[in-house]
Amino acid sequence: MGSSYLKGLAMVVLLVVLSLFAFMGCGRQKEESSDDIKYLIGMSQANLVEPWRVKMTEEIKEEAEKHDNLKVIFTDAAGNNAKQVKDVEELLTEGIDLLIISPNDSKALTPVVAKAYQNIPVIVLDRAVEGYDYTLYIGPDNNMIGRQAGAHVVELLKNKGGKVLEIQGLSGSPPVLGRSEGFREIIDKNSKIDLTASIYADWQSDIAEDKVNLLKDNLSGVSVIFAQNDHMAYGAYKAMTANGINGIKYVGIDGLEGENGGIDLVKKGILESTFRCPTGGKESIIYAIDILNQIKGIPKKIILKSSIITKDNAEQFLNENKKASKEHDRNITPVLGYAIVGNESMWRSANTQSIKTAAAESGIELITVECESSQQKQIDAIRSFIKQKVDVIAFSPIVETGWDEVLKEAKSAGIPVICSDRSLRVKDDSLETTFIGSDFIEEGRRAARWLEGKFSDSSNVNIVELTGTVGSTPAIERGSGFLEVIGKNKKFNIIRSESADFLKVEGKKVMNDILNSESRKIDVVYSHNDDMAFGAIEAIEKHGLLPGKDIVIVSIDGVKSAFQLMMAGKLNCTVECNPLLGNQLMKAVNDYMNGKELPVKIITSEGVFPQESAKKEIVNRKY
């Protein structure tokens, strides 16, 4: 055999080996030249043991394959934090344009995610890292899913009550904590329901089966087994039936398709129900492309919808899931009806202008009605939009309740309703398509955390709280978030909490009344918005005191005037509540018109600005 033939054979073998390494290392789904690739995305997965994460990875691959100019490199951390850190660092050396990561552990992966975020966009899936050093978070509301499951279990047991076994995932993980907290919040309200036991099964079917086998003698009389994923619910079912224990109702979470997935188990009658928990895989690619193409309206957080799947709707859910995207005539200009709250503050003015500007730029026809801070006028406006057959209705609810009837009318007309900046409380969650705005609870927490740092050396701090409109979402949630943090520290005391309706004139009046009647020393004013704080500052000055010095003032909104007052030393800190929601609202309208499923919540990006940063940051204020 000639040497030239051997050399040729060796070359062929080498090329085959190299091509195999390239395929395995890069996760390439099809052959493509580097010239065809516009964007390279790295995907760091926590593990590929959990079926839910396998589904997430499959969704990313499927969605990415729709784009010829896109390539995704996949890594599997196999449940190891150190390996996932190394995976991300190696992906960064590959020159990726964007990182998608589903962290194995929120705290452990925070530093490397922050490192990546310094140079490229980062999308975090499922488990949020600590802080806000990322571009976008996409995930479920695990607490909400837990509450939904709890309400369903209560319904299953009706008035009789009964014993319940809870099977949790991995001890200490955020999804486990959220789902369990939400579940127990509902279950604990019913005295007839006994949460007999709670076990951990690490999301695995076989572990759940083994642990339930060990507990079987102590599970006499259990009526419902609630597992935090379908996989564990199935393991529990196999253990109980193998021991001849029947008649138990099994409730799971995930709602995956395929053989012995949650939907299949529901159709077979093994599970009573499952709760769909979207992986966010498909959405991560959709938003990644928008981010890389610098599309306007990218939020900070996307909270995906969850829904119950039972034997009654399982087939319908599968059929709807298989349908192609809705077909819309994009030659028709979308029509958005928007019921404006009123002109209650500088924040609201900036919010309204943002919506008008974004609509004009997006080519969306905007019909607005000024509602003068009247709920009835907002209801009348929504009814007028229904009569005009607009494509989408949006509004900022003045208060949380009292909307069920008019929103049922909108639903019957087939018109989706988007709540902007304030959410509502209705009996049927499907009446609200999505919420776009801020995390008001987190805003309250941020104000409280700043105060903790400010008064770290103090032994007693008396606080006056100026709340917004009674019954409004911002007032309720900014108050609860603030109390959640300072309530853990006994040195902080809220000595007065009074509503000032988000108005400067009311802030001045209420603060003046408090200063006239309160004998205790006031150390802090916590205001639910900047305008009330501005009024309080005038009242404090009228009483011969120095705002910002004699009384520390922290407020929420972050309008330009707040920065000016911080530079003057009269305001100590403002927590941003971004009013510029127009681009996000218009993106949601266009996404809906293009057949995309909207998430349950779209949360905007915000920051905390103490007095020391005012001079530097004021140039960035657009409102």
Side-chain angles (χ1 to χ4, degrees):
M1 190 177 291
S3 60
S4 60
Y5 175 81
L6 290 174
K7 287 180 180 178
L9 181 61
M11 182 62 70
V12 170
V13 172
L14 178 60
L15 288 172
V16 170
V17 171
L18 287 174
S19 65
L20 283 173
F21 270 110
F23 178 82
M24 294 169 62
C26 297
R28 183 178 296 166
Q29 300 302 301
K30 57 186 178 181
E31 288 300 320
E32 38 193 21
S33 71
S34 59
D35 292 338
D36 296 330
I37 302 301
K38 183 177 180 182
Y39 297 123
L40 181 63
I41 294 175
M43 166 56 191
S44 172
Q45 181 61 275
N47 69 70
L48 286 174
V49 175
E50 301 168 40
W52 188 81
R53 294 190 177 280
V54 173
K55 177 64 175 175
M56 179 195 292
T57 301
E58 288 174 354
E59 285 186 10
I60 291 172
K61 290 179 180 178
E62 289 169 6
E63 191 63 30
E65 285 178 349
K66 297 176 183 178
H67 305 275
D68 293 334
N69 64 348
L70 183 70
K71 177 182 171 184
V72 183
I73 303 173
F74 294 88
T75 63
D76 171 19
N80 185 298
N81 292 335
K83 185 178 185 307
Q84 191 164 29
V85 170
K86 185 179 179 182
D87 287 345
V88 172
E89 289 174 341
E90 289 180 352
L91 285 171
L92 293 175
T93 65
E94 291 282 344
I96 58 174
D97 299 295
L98 180 144
L99 171 68
I100 300 172
I101 180 170
S102 185
N104 186 63
D105 179 88
S106 298
K107 186 175 182 178
L109 273 297
T110 293
V112 75
V113 167
K115 175 184 175 183
Y117 180 60
Q118 291 175 3
N119 299 297
I120 59 172
V122 178
I123 295 177
V124 179
L125 288 182
D126 175 36
R127 294 173 183 165
V129 292
E130 296 181 348
Y132 296 90
D133 286 337
Y134 55 82
T135 308
L136 174 65
Y137 166 79
I138 302 175
D141 185 335
N142 287 298
N143 187 278
M144 179 186 291
I145 294 174
R147 293 198 306 273
Q148 290 174 331
H152 181 58
V153 168
V154 170
E155 184 182 336
L156 288 176
L157 294 173
K158 301 189 185 304
N159 296 325
K160 297 179 181 179
K163 295 182 178 180
V164 177
L165 168 66
E166 179 188 32
I167 304 178
Q168 301 187 47
L170 186 66
S171 177
S173 69
V176 166
L177 297 174
R179 291 175 189 182
S180 187
E181 182 182 88
F183 182 72
R184 291 166 188 239
E185 178 185 327
I186 303 300
I187 293 296
D188 289 348
K189 293 177 182 177
N190 194 312
S191 59
K192 293 183 179 180
I193 296 178
D194 175 23
L195 190 58
T196 302
S198 183
I199 59 176
Y200 293 100
D202 298 348
W203 307 112
Q204 301 303 310
S205 179
D206 55 348
I207 296 177
E209 185 176 358
D210 291 343
K211 289 199 172 183
V212 170
N213 261 321
L214 291 173
L215 273 177
K216 64 181 185 296
D217 295 335
N218 298 319
L219 298 179
S220 176
V222 166
S223 301
V224 176
I225 292 180
F226 164 59
Q228 292 187 350
N229 77 353
D230 299 328
H231 215 42
M232 296 186 295
Y234 187 40
Y237 164 82
K238 289 193 289 186
M240 297 300 271
T241 53
N243 285 284
I245 304 172
N246 300 304
I248 294 174
K249 298 181 187 297
Y250 298 86
V251 177
I253 294 174
D254 278 354
L256 299 181
E257 298 177 29
E259 186 176 359
N260 290 332
I263 300 176
D264 184 46
L265 294 174
V266 168
K267 289 177 66 178
K268 290 176 179 176
I270 293 173
L271 297 188
E272 184 72 21
S273 56
T274 181
F275 287 83
R276 179 190 176 219
C277 181
T279 70
K282 175 182 177 181
E283 290 79 4
S284 70
I285 293 297
I286 292 172
Y287 274 95
I289 292 169
D290 285 346
I291 290 167
L292 291 168
N293 287 329
Q294 299 182 0
I295 300 297
K296 291 182 178 180
I298 303 298
K300 193 68 174 180
K301 294 182 182 179
I302 294 289
I303 308 301
L304 302 171
K305 287 183 183 292
S306 60
S307 52
I308 188 171
I309 300 172
T310 65
K311 210 165 188 178
D312 293 335
N313 68 353
E315 195 63 45
Q316 177 187 350
F317 181 86
L318 284 172
N319 291 336
E320 289 180 354
N321 223 26
K322 290 174 183 176
K323 284 180 184 177
S325 296
K326 299 176 187 177
E327 293 183 5
H328 293 269
D329 186 351
R330 298 308 284 127
N331 292 321
I332 297 175
T333 301
V335 180
L336 169 65
Y338 192 86
I340 301 170
V341 173
N343 191 21
E344 62 190 4
S345 64
M346 286 183 282
W347 190 98
R348 181 63 58 194
S349 298
N351 174 253
T352 302
Q353 187 56 51
S354 167
I355 289 167
K356 291 179 178 179
T357 301
E361 292 176 350
S362 301
I364 292 174
E365 182 181 343
L366 179 66
I367 302 173
T368 61
V369 175
E370 171 64 59
C371 298
E372 300 173 355
S373 298
S374 164
Q375 182 178 24
Q376 186 55 53
K377 287 186 177 181
Q378 279 195 314
I379 291 172
D380 293 341
I382 292 170
R383 287 195 169 119
S384 75
F385 296 148
I386 295 170
K387 287 182 181 178
Q388 294 175 73
K389 297 181 179 179
V390 302
D391 295 301
V392 180
I393 293 171
F395 75 118
S396 176
I398 291 170
V399 293
E400 286 190 336
T401 57
W403 306 99
D404 295 74
E405 184 178 343
V406 70
L407 295 189
K408 284 178 183 176
E409 295 170 22
K411 184 178 180 181
S412 297
I415 302 174
V417 176
I418 296 174
C419 288
S420 173
D421 111 76
R422 295 180 183 178
S423 58
L424 43 76
R425 197 152 23 102
V426 289
K427 293 179 181 178
D428 179 1
D429 290 339
S430 70
L431 298 179
E432 178 188 9
T433 302
T434 195
F435 164 79
I436 300 176
S438 305
D439 185 336
F440 299 127
I441 293 176
E442 181 60 25
E443 288 171 355
R445 290 180 187 134
R446 290 179 177 184
R449 291 187 195 116
W450 179 83
L451 280 178
E452 283 186 322
K454 179 72 174 177
F455 289 92
S456 59
D457 297 329
S458 302
S459 57
N460 185 71
V461 181
N462 290 335
I463 301 170
V464 166
E465 179 182 27
L466 299 180
T467 72
T469 304
V470 175
S472 69
T473 306
I476 293 168
E477 296 189 350
R478 286 171 183 168
S480 65
F482 186 77
L483 187 60
E484 176 190 319
V485 175
I486 66 160
K488 298 174 183 177
N489 194 325
K490 292 182 179 179
K491 73 180 179 182
F492 290 105
N493 310 290
I494 299 178
I495 60 173
R496 297 284 290 272
S497 182
E498 307 284 348
S499 172
D501 282 336
F502 292 120
L503 300 172
K504 177 181 176 180
V505 64
E506 286 299 311
K508 183 175 182 177
K509 179 180 178 298
V510 171
M511 191 66 209
N512 188 61
D513 291 344
I514 291 172
L515 288 166
N516 283 331
S517 61
E518 185 57 58
S519 59
R520 290 167 290 187
K521 181 179 182 297
I522 299 171
D523 299 298
V524 173
V525 169
Y526 163 50
S527 174
H528 285 197
N529 80 342
D530 289 339
D531 283 71
M532 294 187 296
F534 301 160
I537 286 170
E538 291 183 5
I540 291 168
E541 289 179 321
K542 182 181 175 182
H543 281 257
L545 298 170
L546 296 175
K549 293 183 174 62
D550 296 329
I551 299 178
V552 168
I553 303 173
V554 56
S555 61
I556 296 175
D557 273 356
V559 298
K560 183 173 285 188
S561 297
F563 284 78
Q564 291 168 342
L565 283 171
M566 284 195 291
M567 290 170 65
K570 296 182 180 183
L571 181 69
N572 301 88
C573 180
T574 185
V575 177
E576 185 177 33
C577 178
N578 192 346
L580 307 181
L581 304 177
N583 286 328
Q584 291 170 13
L585 176 57
M586 300 313 144
K587 186 178 190 307
V589 171
N590 278 321
D591 283 350
Y592 170 78
M593 295 301 291
N594 285 320
K596 297 177 184 177
E597 182 182 25
L598 296 181
V600 68
K601 289 182 182 179
I602 300 172
I603 306 299
T604 191
S605 179
E606 298 172 332
V608 178
F609 301 98
Q611 193 177 70
E612 298 77 24
S613 67
K615 187 175 182 180
K616 177 183 176 183
E617 294 291 340
I618 194 170
V619 295
N620 299 319
R621 295 292 94 188
K622 296 180 180 179
Y623 50 91

